Amino acid sequence: MQRRWIMVGSIMMMLAVAIGAFGAHIVKARIDADALAIYETGVKYHMIHAVGLLIIALAAGQWGPSTRLRWAARLLFTGIILFSGSLYV
């Protein structure tokens, strides 16, 4: 469980940075200030959720695999997709 969620959390962090950079350099010139603020909110929550995934993975390494930790990781991952994804769109 630990390795999988460290990998997923790391990939999600990488994507958050890439999407943020894309927004700062390409999208910024094409959308208005309100839409950019929404986009930045999506990036911020994407990063927070990804850090949460990494913390859960570290907790799983410390305490061992747990159904609650697994569900927490799944819900955070789903939050990235649904919440941040809807803000990006």
Side-chain angles (χ1 to χ4, degrees), residues 16-89:
V17 171
I19 291 169
F22 177 74
H25 297 289
I26 296 172
V27 175
K28 185 177 183 179
R30 299 173 189 222
I31 61 176
D32 62 356
D34 291 335
L36 185 61
I38 292 170
Y39 189 88
E40 289 173 351
T41 300
V43 172
K44 179 172 52 172
Y45 280 102
H46 187 148
M47 275 204 181
I48 292 168
H49 280 73
V51 168
L53 284 173
L54 293 173
I55 291 170
I56 288 171
L58 293 174
Q62 188 72 21
W63 300 326
S66 164
T67 304
R68 289 180 180 174
L69 288 175
R70 189 174 293 118
W71 270 104
R74 289 175 184 164
L75 290 172
L76 282 173
F77 183 71
T78 303
I80 291 172
I81 293 170
L82 294 178
F83 182 71
S84 294
S86 68
L87 293 176
Y88 296 147
V89 172

